[in-house]
Structure formats: structure tokens, C-alpha cells
Amino acid sequence: MPLEHRRAPEEATDLGIPRLYREGLTQIATIVRDECAGDLAIDFHDNLDTTGTAPGDFLTFSAQSDAPELLNRLTLTGNRGDTTITVDFTPWEARATVSNPDNSARGAVTQIQDLCRKSGSRTRPRISWPRRGSVMFATGLALIAFVVVANYHRVLSPPANPRPPVVALFAPLIVGVAAGVWEGWNHGSRLAPILINAPRAERPTHWQKHQPTYIASTISLLVGGAIGYVVNQLPRVG
């Protein structure tokens, strides 16, 4: 008696952690639709359970007054006979799954994978300004404590020819490295796909987006270096 398979064979492909704008999302929807002979279902996973059936529905969805520009989750599905292609973007991963795969469906998934790879990866969730500011403040306090401890013996018994301590000269570097290590450690394990339902041309430049952070970081570096130098110039105690 032949065996029966109650579940169709599946192949899953990891799409990495892409950053996709409306152009990329539309291209993926077009690939799925063309591979599935015109069949396409888009689930925006919003609070109204909005769905679409055409690549152009990303623009239609954005025209709604309460439609989010940053999509938290998105699912695209197409059926061609017994073969089903599902592209699912969640807050944790991006994955393409094919049920009853054939070479044509595998080729479509490869196109989607290449598009996601070219879109740029290693993205991360947004970090709120209050949280970033608190981290910078804590790093500054740690640097001050480090400078004071490192120069304690100089304050009590200053040398004949005092020189700025090495730690004061490298204070900006210490702050930068500390902030970078903290951010990488805290957010490195929570990288996630970012889906932006807006044209790439409408997005702000990197400098416009991160200008407050750069300015605050520069001020923190300068203050840290100045504190290190001032501590070294304190008069002899006793």
C-alpha cells in the first residue's frame, strides 16, 4: 500500500534582515504575482486586517489616513496549482517558503533573496532619544570617575613638570568606544527587517536623520577631554 503525505513538501529560504522601501516591496509582490500566474494576496497585518491583490496596493494602502509608513509585519502569498509561495516579514525575521516547490518557484525565490540582499542589511530598531541620551550621560559619568581615579596620585603628589595624563588625551576615544560597544551589545541580537511603505527619495538623508546624535556625541567627547585635563591641573592637596 503506497504511503500518503498529508502535508506538502516545503522549502524555506532566509531572506536576511533587509531594509525595503516601497519600490522593493512592489518588486517582490510583482515577482510573486508573475510566478503564480497573476495570483497574489498581500496581508498588511494592520488593525483593520487590510489586504491587497496587486503590487500597486502598497501605494493605495499608504493613502489611508491611519496607515503606518513603517510596516511591522507583511505577508505576500501566491498560488499556482499545487505550488504556493509565501513571503513573510515579521519583527524577528524575513523568510520565503515554497510548498510543492519546482525549479520555476525556486528561481522566483532566488530573485527575491537577491533583491533583499541588495537592499542593505544589518538594520536595527529605532533607539529613542531619551534612551540614547541616558546612555551617553552614564558613559560620561563613568569617564569622569575613571579620570579622577587615574589622576588621584597626581593630585596628592604632583610631579615637577606636570603633563596632561594619557587618559585625558584619549578621553574622546574612550567615550566613542564605550558608546559603540554598548550599542552593539544591546542591539546586536535584535536586528530586524525594516519595511518602509514610502519612496526612498522621500526619506531624509543620513545626516539629517542623525544630526542631533552626532552633535550630542561631539559635545560629550569635548567635555570628557576637558574634564580630564582640568583634573590633572588641580593644585596640590595638603
Side-chain angles (χ1 to χ4, degrees):
M1 183 177 180
L3 297 176
E4 292 185 2
H5 299 287
R6 296 187 177 183
R7 189 174 181 182
E10 291 185 349
E11 291 182 0
T13 302
D14 183 10
L15 302 178
I17 43 177
R19 181 187 186 91
L20 295 167
Y21 294 86
R22 184 183 297 157
E23 297 89 341
L25 297 174
T26 301
Q27 289 182 51
I28 293 176
T30 301
I31 292 172
V32 174
R33 181 200 62 185
D34 293 349
E35 178 58 31
C36 296
D39 184 73
L40 173 66
I42 304 173
D43 190 346
F44 292 95
H45 295 282
D46 63 341
N47 56 355
L48 298 178
D49 293 330
T50 305
T51 60
T53 57
D57 287 340
F58 285 102
L59 176 60
T60 305
F61 179 73
S62 68
Q64 299 181 116
S65 59
D66 58 345
E69 182 179 281
L70 187 64
L71 304 179
N72 186 53
R73 184 175 179 183
L74 180 70
T75 303
L76 301 95
T77 307
N79 295 285
R80 173 175 47 80
D82 294 332
T83 301
T84 300
I85 299 177
T86 303
V87 182
D88 198 15
F89 297 97
T90 73
W92 307 278
E93 64 177 356
R95 185 178 299 274
T97 305
V98 182
S99 299
N100 286 316
D102 53 25
N103 289 336
S104 182
R106 293 187 183 98
V109 171
T110 299
Q111 294 181 55
I112 296 173
Q113 188 178 33
D114 291 342
L115 193 154
C116 290
R117 185 180 298 114
K118 294 177 182 178
S119 71
S121 59
R122 303 184 184 280
T123 55
R124 63 189 59 195
R126 303 294 187 271
I127 305 173
S128 64
W129 172 250
R131 185 174 185 180
R132 185 183 295 272
S134 63
V135 172
M136 293 173 59
F137 179 73
T139 303
L141 290 180
L143 176 62
I144 293 173
F146 181 62
V147 171
V148 171
V149 172
N151 290 275
Y152 182 72
H153 69 284
R154 290 174 176 265
V155 175
L156 296 179
S157 302
N161 298 313
R163 297 179 180 177
V166 175
V167 67
L169 298 177
F170 287 92
L173 178 61
I174 294 173
V175 173
V177 171
V181 169
W182 182 91
E183 186 169 324
W185 171 78
N186 193 50
H187 299 281
S189 62
R190 291 190 286 169
L191 298 176
I194 292 183
L195 311 178
I196 303 173
N197 190 19
R200 187 183 184 94
E202 294 181 1
R203 306 301 297 171
T205 64
H206 181 82
W207 168 249
Q208 292 173 335
K209 185 176 180 180
H210 298 283
Q211 183 178 3
T213 299
Y214 290 147
I215 294 176
S217 298
T218 301
I219 294 174
S220 178
L221 298 181
L222 295 176
V223 170
I227 290 175
Y229 179 79
V230 170
V231 169
N232 184 64
Q233 301 301 317
L234 292 175
R236 184 176 181 178
V237 177

